[in-house]
Amino acid sequence: MTALLGCIADDFTGGTDLAGALVKAGMRTVQLIGVPDGPLPADVDAVVIALKSRTSPVEDAVAESLAALRWLRQAGCRQFYFKYCSTFDSTPRGNIGPVAEALMQALDTDFTIACPALPANGRTLYKGHLFVGDVPLSESGMCNHPLTPMTDANLVRVLQRQAQRKIGLVDYATVSRGDAAIRECFDALRQQGHGLAIVDALSNADLDAIGAACVDLPLVTGGSGIALGLPQNFRRSGLLAENVVADALPKTGGLRAVISGSCSVATQQQVQVMRASFPSFGIDPLRLERGEDLVAAALDWASARIAQQPVLIYATATPDTVREVQAELGVAHAGELVENALAEIASGLIRLGVGQMLVAGGETSGAVVKALGVKGLRIGSEIDPSVPWTSTLHDDGRQPLALALKSGNFGSEDFFLKAWEKLQ
Ligand code: ADP
């Protein structure tokens, strides 16, 4: 059993985004959390290894990415993909350039592309300049990013500052002429001594053409957009079946629970809607700080109700309440108290027989996944845009859990109610 496409993502949610895109494009995809030590799961066409390397020291990002590549090669992947943010989040030192070049060297290839375009989300590239909506990247607010301020929209220049090899450009005049023209341009750039090329793209049709042109490149780098064109190459060469059901998940029974540690606007509404008709238990960080055992209390409370209907356990609070708590406990300490409590509660709920769980909040999801010992996720169909059902992968023979991880502002108001229907 081997996979076709091996991807390395520089952060977790970026990995999820890419995995979801690949499933929609017809590849059965798993997302693995960190470099795995176990074997490749069965029935997988694409693997996304999610690292946390976007802002780590360059040497660490390179070493982890190379370790991920080694595993993906052993898993039999034929083409490799380095996924970063569609706003090219990086510092003057990296890590996009150094990681891409290290992967090129390990794969013994002298040419690849860099294309973060994601037209569906307003990220387009023209004459090497990245636009976010109607404005250049450098005027998009990204110049104020706390970790990766982006002050130059010219990605040829940005990448050249991070890379040893010469950076070229496949401009829109070429891209608009289709995949054969793009491929000719790759060859010309390579002959002129360019190691990487930024590629212009304004639409999904451009992404398809670029994807088709990448058929023979051992390594492709970009945002999640450019990956959309790759599955079709595998289909054309007969490696990927036309009619594969990419979003099928193993059936998971069990009880149902929602855990919410997100205080984002969308989650607040979702919590209100669920509280109106289902049993719910609130976690107050100030009571946790006083040493009250809210984990045991929540699990006791849940055990009396959960067999009858889904339950909600939440720390979600209004901005005013959160500010008061943070003023008293400090932002980091308050966050940690809540994350730890919710993660322990999630583990307890599994022991009570929960087999289907929704988790709201990016950091909260990270804490829950860690506490449950989840090694990876098989990606299923979307409940709402960018929030798929997944099935957990464990390396100790445990039964998979149906898990949906929702970042703060995603999902409709009735998300916590309607999600179960999509599992049927
Ligand atoms: P989102 O995806 O909405 O940003 P996260 O889980 O990433 O959600 O972040 C929310 C953070 O707020 C977490 O660290 C969580 O522990 C913390 N938090 C949740 N509820 C409260 C609360 N009532 N008071 C203070 N912090 C809280």
Side-chain angles (χ1 to χ4, degrees), residues 250-270:
K251 286 241 175 304
T252 341
L255 304 174
R256 295 170 169 176
V258 181
I259 292 205
S260 177
S262 156
C263 299
S264 299
V265 179
T267 311
Q268 298 211 33
Q269 285 167 344
Q270 291 155 352

Side-chain angles (χ1 to χ4, degrees), residues 261-264 267 283 285 315-317 322 325-326 334-336 338-339 360-364 406-408:
S262 156
C263 299
S264 299
T267 311
I283 299 289
T316 307
V322 172
V325 168
Q326 288 176 335
E336 206 178 316
V338 171
E339 284 167 35
E363 296 298 326
T364 309
K406 187 194 82 74
S407 296

Side-chain angles (χ1 to χ4, degrees), residues 15-315:
T16 310
D17 182 21
L18 173 63
L22 291 170
V23 168
K24 272 200 237 166
M27 296 185 98
R28 297 167 298 175
T29 305
V30 294
Q31 178 179 4
L32 303 177
I33 301 160
V35 182
D37 37 30
L40 176 75
D43 303 324
V44 170
D45 304 310
V47 183
V48 179
I49 295 184
L51 303 177
K52 264 180 114 166
S53 57
R54 183 167 295 168
T55 54
S56 47
V58 176
E59 302 69 32
D60 296 355
V62 165
E64 272 187 58
S65 304
L66 289 174
L69 177 68
R70 276 194 294 277
W71 190 92
L72 292 167
R73 289 179 103 170
Q74 273 170 13
C77 297
R78 291 158 183 260
Q79 190 174 36
F80 301 89
Y81 195 90
F82 171 35
K83 155 75 171 71
Y84 37 79
C85 189
S86 62
T87 42
F88 215 69
D89 297 14
S90 50
T91 69
R93 286 200 64 210
N95 292 332
I96 296 175
V99 168
E101 290 192 302
L103 295 173
M104 288 172 74
Q105 193 176 0
L107 288 165
D108 199 18
T109 178
D110 61 357
F111 185 80
T112 188
I113 63 159
C115 181
L118 189 58
N121 285 2
R123 272 67 153 169
T124 54
L125 258 156
Y126 187 69
K127 293 201 184 287
H129 289 70
L130 181 60
F131 289 82
V132 177
D134 296 330
V135 298
L137 173 66
S138 45
E139 294 169 28
S140 69
M142 275 302 291
C143 59
N144 299 319
H145 192 285
L147 302 175
T148 53
M150 301 302 291
T151 54
D152 188 355
N154 182 328
L155 295 191
V156 177
R157 253 185 338 231
V158 172
L159 188 55
Q160 191 64 80
R161 283 195 285 267
Q162 301 175 14
Q164 308 289 320
R165 298 171 203 235
K166 212 163 116 190
I167 310 301
L169 171 67
V170 182
D171 73 359
Y172 195 70
T174 305
V175 171
S176 62
R177 283 166 40 226
D179 64 299
I182 299 170
R183 214 159 351 157
E184 269 171 39
C185 187
F186 288 173
D187 290 340
L189 286 169
R190 180 189 265 136
Q191 270 162 21
Q192 293 157 13
H194 295 90
L196 292 107
I198 301 291
V199 186
D200 282 353
L202 302 179
S203 67
N204 282 347
D206 297 334
L207 296 181
D208 286 342
I210 298 165
C214 289
V215 62
D216 294 325
L217 296 184
L219 175 70
V220 180
T221 89
S224 62
I226 199 73
L228 292 177
L230 301 179
Q232 193 57 21
N233 295 337
F234 293 116
R235 261 183 226 110
R236 276 194 209 104
S237 56
L239 293 165
L240 180 66
E242 287 287 346
N243 54 355
V244 63
V245 181
D247 60 3
L249 295 182
K251 286 241 175 304
T252 341
L255 304 174
R256 295 170 169 176
V258 181
I259 292 205
S260 177
S262 156
C263 299
S264 299
V265 179
T267 311
Q268 298 211 33
Q269 285 167 344
Q270 291 155 352
V271 164
Q272 268 189 18
V273 168
M274 183 158 181
R275 280 184 62 193
S277 38
F278 287 88
S280 55
F281 187 99
I283 299 289
D284 175 356
L286 297 176
R287 290 175 63 191
L288 288 172
E289 176 68 6
R290 287 199 295 269
E292 283 186 51
D293 191 351
L294 294 185
V295 172
L299 291 171
D300 261 1
W301 170 89
S303 65
R305 293 165 177 83
I306 198 162
Q308 287 81 45
Q309 56 189 333
V311 301
L312 165 67
I313 296 175
Y314 67 98

Side-chain angles (χ1 to χ4, degrees), residues 280-421:
S280 55
F281 187 99
I283 299 289
D284 175 356
L286 297 176
R287 290 175 63 191
L288 288 172
E289 176 68 6
R290 287 199 295 269
E292 283 186 51
D293 191 351
L294 294 185
V295 172
L299 291 171
D300 261 1
W301 170 89
S303 65
R305 293 165 177 83
I306 198 162
Q308 287 81 45
Q309 56 189 333
V311 301
L312 165 67
I313 296 175
Y314 67 98
T316 307
T318 60
D320 285 345
T321 312
V322 172
R323 260 193 298 277
E324 281 167 28
V325 168
Q326 288 176 335
E328 196 165 332
L329 304 180
V331 176
H333 182 55
E336 206 178 316
L337 271 179
V338 171
E339 284 167 35
N340 289 343
L342 292 178
E344 274 187 61
I345 289 169
S347 301
L349 288 170
I350 306 298
R351 288 194 296 275
L352 290 179
V354 165
Q356 305 178 346
M357 189 184 280
L358 302 171
V359 183
E363 296 298 326
T364 309
S365 295
V368 167
V369 158
K370 197 164 169 205
L372 298 184
V374 173
K375 300 292 180 192
L377 304 166
R378 183 179 286 274
I379 310 295
S381 58
E382 283 184 339
I383 304 164
D384 269 330
S386 295
V387 199
W389 269 115
T390 73
S391 173
T392 58
L393 301 168
H394 302 269
D395 57 9
D396 55 6
R398 250 182 296 166
Q399 282 301 306
L401 170 76
L403 188 64
L405 305 173
K406 187 194 82 74
S407 296
N409 272 322
F410 289 151
S412 63
E413 274 190 13
D414 58 349
F415 183 87
F416 294 154
L417 310 188
K418 74 175 184 190
W420 316 114
E421 294 158 23

